[in-house]
Amino acid sequence: MRLLLVLVPVVFLVGGVRAQKLPTRDEELFQMQVRDKALFHDSSVVPDGAEISGYLFRDTPKRYYFVVEEDNTPLSVTVTPCDAPLEWKLTLQELPEESSGEGSGQAEPLDQQKLQVTADEGTELFSYKGNDVESYVSSSSPSGLYQLELLSTEKDSHFQAYASTTPESDQPYPELPYDPRVDVTSLGRTTLTLAWKPTPTAAQLGQPVQYCVVVSQEHNFKSLCAVEAKLGADEAFMSVPKPGRDFSPFDFAHFGFAPERNDLGRDRPAPAPRAPAYSPRAARPHIRKVCIGNKNIFTVSELKPDTQYYFDVFAVNGATNMSTAYVGTFARTKEEAKQKTLELKDGKVTDVFIKRKGSKFLRFAPVSSHQKVTFYLHSCLDSVQVQVRRDGKLVLSQNAEGVRQFQLRGKPKAKYLIRLRGSRKGASMLKVLASTRPNKQPFPSLPEDTRIKAFDKLRTCSSVTVAWLGTQDRHKFCVYRREVDPGQGEDQRRREQNQCAGPQARKKSDKVLCKYFHSPNLQKAVTTETIRGLQPGKAYLLDVYAVGHGGHSVKYQSKVVKTRKFC
C-alpha cells in the first residue's frame, strides 16, 4: 500500500455523529475517500499498515491521529527519527459515542468538537526521547482515538511513522537474524570485506529482501532514512513545506525514498525518474551507499589507508520499501607499508633494486663534520629520478642515466635523504656510493658516447673489427663475445643491456681480451680491436667493460655483429 499522509497541524475529529474510521486498505476506494473534503478536511491521519514520511519544524509539535474501533485489538506504532533526535508520545482518548446536539440528532459544529477533544489530555501510553528507532507494541489495545505527538527541539527534521492493527500478518519491517551483527572478515589498506547473517523474512514469508551497505567516516547510522537525510534532503524526501502554506498531501510521487544511488557500484533501476538538485556523493564525500541485492557478503574498495570507517547494513523489504538496521560496526584500515630506508655507509657501494614505477629511500648520516659530500650513482638500465634532501630541504632533483656524480656542500651533523624513483618501462637496478672523503672515483669514468662501432668493410668470415671511445683516465677494458640467436626476446635483450652486470657474471670462454687504455687528448681517445676465431654467417653479441680502480665495472652498450657467410 502506498504511503498517505494528510499534513495539517490540527486535531482529527468526528465528521458526523460517529467517529471516522481508519482509511481503507483498498487503494482505489481510498483514492475516492481522500477526495471527499467532508471526510478528510482538516485532519492528520496515519493510515493503517502504511509508513508515512513527515517533516517537523524545530520546537513546533505535530500531532497525528488514528482510530481503533474495537477493544482487544493488537496495535504497533513505530517512529523512526531521520536526522535529529525526537520526542514523541502516544496517548489514548475516548471517542464520544454520540453527539450532544441537545437531542436534535445534529452533529455539533466542528470547532466545538475540536475543543471537546483537545480539552481532554487523554491517557499517556508511551513516550520516548532520542534518535533510536523505537516502537510501542500491544497485543490487546482498547478502542478509542490515538494521538501521536512528535517534537524536534534541535532542528528542523524528517521522520517516519508506522501504525498497524495487524502487525503479525503485516510484518513490513524485515526481521533480524538471531545474531544481527555485521562482521569484518578481512581487512587491508584500501579494501575491507563485510559479512552478516541473512534475514529470515525472505525465507519464511517469501517477501523480496535486498541489503544496502553504507560506508561513513563520521558515525554509524540507526536507520536508512538517516542515511538518506545525510546524503541530501532534496533527493531523499519531498520538498519541505513553508510554515503557513498549503500544499497537496496526495502527490504520491514525492513520498518515500529517492532512487537508490549506488556510490560503490552500478545504479540500480529506479521506479520513477527524478531530477536531483545535486549529487549526494559530491555533497557528502565521506558517505557512500550501495544496494547489493540479496547477497550477505560485500567487499568495500577504494578506502584510504589508516582511516577509521563505520559500516552499516540495512535489510529492505522490496514489497513495502521499509527497512531494518543491523548492528553496525567500525574498523580502521591498515597503514601503508612503511618504506624501508637503506643506510649508506661512507665510501661503500650499495646495490639498489626498484620495482617498475616504484621508489626507494636511502639515508646518509656522516659520523663526522664534512665540507663536501659526493654521491656516485650508476644506473644499470633506464634513467631514474634522483632527489636529495639535506636536513629536510630539497637540494637536488635530476634524472640520471649511466654513471653520474653529484657533489654537494656539507654542513655539520647534516643528514641526507635520497629518493630514487624507477622507470615506467621496467624494474631499475643501481649502484650508489656516498663519500665525504675526496678520493679516486670508485666507478670508471665513461665518455658521453658509450656505443661500440663495427667496421662493415673490415668484416670477414672469421673476424670483425670494432672501436670504442675512452677517456683521459687510465682504465682497464675487457672485451667479451657470445654467439646469439637473432630471434631472441625483448626480455633477454633488456637483461643484456644491464650495465651493472660485470665480467664476473660471464663465462670464461666468452672472454676475448683485457687491456689498459687512455689518452690525454680526448680527440684521440679511440681504441680499436679485431676479434678473431668466429664462425662464418654467425651473429655475435659483443660487450666492452670499463673497470674502475675499486674493481667496479661499467658496461658499454652491447653490439650485435655478424660475420660474412661467404668469403
Side-chain angles (χ1 to χ4, degrees):
M1 182 176 182
R2 294 185 181 177
L3 306 182
L4 177 70
L5 180 59
V6 185
L7 297 177
V8 285
V10 297
V11 298
F12 159 76
L13 257 189
V14 185
V17 295
R18 297 192 61 188
Q20 177 182 326
K21 298 181 181 180
L22 279 170
T24 176
R25 295 195 183 190
D26 185 296
E27 185 170 322
E28 183 177 352
L29 180 59
F30 181 70
Q31 292 285 353
M32 295 176 58
Q33 290 178 349
V34 298
R35 298 189 186 99
D36 186 350
K37 298 300 182 181
L39 188 65
F40 272 88
H41 179 68
D42 236 12
S43 62
S44 298
V45 177
V46 179
D48 189 8
E51 185 180 57
I52 64 171
S53 297
Y55 192 82
L56 295 173
F57 294 103
R58 185 170 68 90
D59 295 331
T60 303
K62 186 171 286 189
R63 299 175 182 89
Y64 298 89
Y65 296 87
F66 57 90
V67 173
V68 174
E69 293 185 324
E70 299 179 0
D71 289 332
N72 302 319
T73 299
L75 178 62
S76 173
V77 178
T78 301
V79 175
T80 302
C82 293
D83 46 2
L86 299 181
E87 299 179 23
W88 66 275
K89 65 180 179 180
L90 184 67
T91 57
L92 170 63
Q93 296 172 331
E94 293 184 1
L95 285 174
E97 295 184 2
E98 59 183 0
S99 62
S100 59
E102 296 183 352
S104 66
Q106 300 295 321
E108 293 181 353
L110 183 60
D111 291 342
Q112 293 184 20
Q113 295 178 6
K114 293 177 183 178
L115 294 174
Q116 177 182 345
V117 175
T118 53
D120 182 8
E121 294 295 332
T123 303
E124 182 175 310
L125 302 177
F126 182 81
S127 65
Y128 173 76
K129 180 178 181 181
N131 58 1
D132 284 331
V133 180
E134 194 62 56
S135 298
Y136 167 79
V137 179
S138 173
S139 60
S140 179
S141 297
S143 61
L145 175 67
Y146 287 77
Q147 172 184 283
L148 176 63
E149 180 177 293
L150 302 103
L151 177 66
S152 175
T153 59
E154 288 191 5
K155 63 176 183 178
D156 297 350
S157 175
H158 296 91
F159 71 91
Q160 292 176 340
Y162 166 79
S164 175
T165 55
T166 55
E168 288 297 325
S169 60
D170 288 355
Q171 294 191 11
Y173 295 98
E175 183 182 352
L176 290 177
Y178 68 91
D179 182 0
R181 294 174 300 177
V182 178
D183 296 319
V184 177
T185 59
S186 69
L187 181 65
R189 292 191 297 272
T190 59
T191 61
L192 177 145
T193 301
L194 303 170
W196 56 93
K197 292 178 174 59
T199 170
T201 297
Q204 294 177 359
L205 302 180
Q207 295 179 346
V209 174
Q210 75 162 332
Y211 299 100
C212 294
V213 180
V214 175
V215 183
S216 169
Q217 289 182 240
E218 298 177 358
H219 54 73
N220 287 107
F221 290 91
K222 297 181 179 180
S223 66
L224 196 53
C225 81
V227 176
E228 296 290 350
K230 202 73 169 178
L231 285 173
D234 289 342
E235 279 199 331
F237 300 93
M238 61 183 175
S239 300
V240 177
K242 295 182 179 180
R245 292 286 301 277
D246 291 333
F247 65 99
S248 172
F250 304 115
D251 184 2
F252 287 95
H254 288 82
F255 283 84
F257 291 125
E260 301 291 350
R261 183 177 297 276
N262 289 353
D263 284 340
L264 302 182
R266 296 182 178 178
D267 291 346
R268 74 174 178 88
R274 296 286 178 93
Y278 57 90
S279 168
R281 188 167 187 178
R284 294 285 180 179
H286 300 306
I287 302 175
R288 293 185 282 172
K289 186 189 80 171
V290 57
C291 295
I292 61 172
N294 58 6
K295 297 183 297 182
N296 63 322
I297 185 169
F298 184 69
T299 298
V300 186
S301 59
E302 298 182 10
L303 302 176
K304 297 178 182 178
D306 193 24
T307 303
Q308 179 101 336
Y309 287 94
Y310 299 85
F311 304 94
D312 292 290
V313 172
F314 300 92
V316 183
N317 187 327
T320 64
N321 201 32
M322 297 164 72
S323 59
T324 304
Y326 278 69
V327 178
T329 187
F330 61 90
R332 177 174 289 274
T333 51
K334 292 184 178 180
E335 297 181 5
E336 285 278 15
K338 292 184 178 180
Q339 184 69 258
K340 184 178 180 181
T341 302
L342 299 176
E343 293 286 342
L344 295 179
K345 294 184 179 180
D346 200 338
K348 292 189 176 181
V349 176
T350 300
D351 293 317
V352 179
F353 175 81
I354 306 175
K355 294 181 180 179
R356 177 176 174 268
K357 296 194 297 185
S359 296
K360 277 290 177 66
F361 290 88
L362 297 84
R363 182 174 177 269
F364 181 51
V367 296
S368 59
S369 180
H370 57 283
Q371 294 182 342
K372 293 182 180 180
V373 61
T374 305
F375 293 98
Y376 300 95
L377 187 72
H378 183 192
S379 178
C380 307
L381 293 170
D382 301 308
S383 64
V384 295
Q385 186 186 57
V386 184
Q387 286 186 345
V388 180
R389 294 182 182 272
R390 182 180 56 210
D391 295 334
K393 183 179 179 180
L394 183 65
V395 293
L396 175 68
S397 181
Q398 289 188 21
N399 286 335
E401 188 172 8
V403 177
R404 293 292 303 275
Q405 173 182 330
F406 304 104
Q407 193 171 75
L408 304 175
R409 187 177 61 183
K411 280 188 176 181
K413 299 181 180 180
K415 293 179 175 60
Y416 302 86
L417 182 66
I418 304 97
R419 179 184 182 181
L420 303 173
R421 181 175 294 176
S423 168
R424 293 179 177 271
K425 298 179 182 179
S428 301
M429 291 179 286
L430 304 97
K431 290 183 179 292
V432 182
L433 180 143
S435 177
T436 58
R437 297 184 295 271
N439 56 4
K440 292 184 178 180
Q441 182 177 337
F443 301 110
S445 57
L446 295 180
E448 292 185 3
D449 189 349
T450 59
R451 293 177 298 173
I452 301 173
K453 179 177 175 58
F455 298 97
D456 185 65
K457 292 183 178 181
L458 300 179
R459 280 192 309 139
T460 70
C461 292
S462 60
S463 67
V464 294
T465 301
V466 294
W468 65 90
L469 298 178
T471 64
Q472 294 175 330
D473 298 325
R474 188 171 184 267
H475 294 304
K476 183 170 72 170
F477 295 88
C478 293
V479 182
Y480 284 73
R481 70 176 185 188
R482 180 172 64 85
E483 185 178 336
V484 295
D485 179 4
Q488 68 178 0
E490 179 63 30
D491 291 342
Q492 178 67 23
R493 288 194 293 269
R494 180 174 174 81
R495 285 193 296 269
E496 289 169 350
Q497 292 299 324
N498 181 2
Q499 293 186 354
C500 295
Q504 64 276 8
R506 302 296 296 266
K507 297 179 180 178
K508 290 183 178 181
S509 58
D510 291 347
K511 185 176 180 180
V512 177
L513 59 88
C514 287
K515 69 176 184 180
Y516 286 89
F517 166 72
H518 79 289
S519 175
N521 186 353
L522 286 179
Q523 300 296 327
K524 298 181 179 180
V526 181
T527 184
T528 61
E529 194 66 40
T530 299
I531 302 170
R532 307 178 189 280
L534 308 180
Q535 298 296 320
K538 298 291 186 180
Y540 292 87
L541 180 74
L542 300 182
D543 287 309
V544 173
Y545 298 89
V547 183
H549 300 289
H552 300 289
S553 62
V554 179
K555 186 167 70 70
Y556 279 57
Q557 297 180 35
S558 299
K559 178 71 174 179
V560 176
V561 295
K562 190 174 183 180
T563 57
R564 295 187 183 277
K565 193 171 185 180
F566 303 101
C567 296

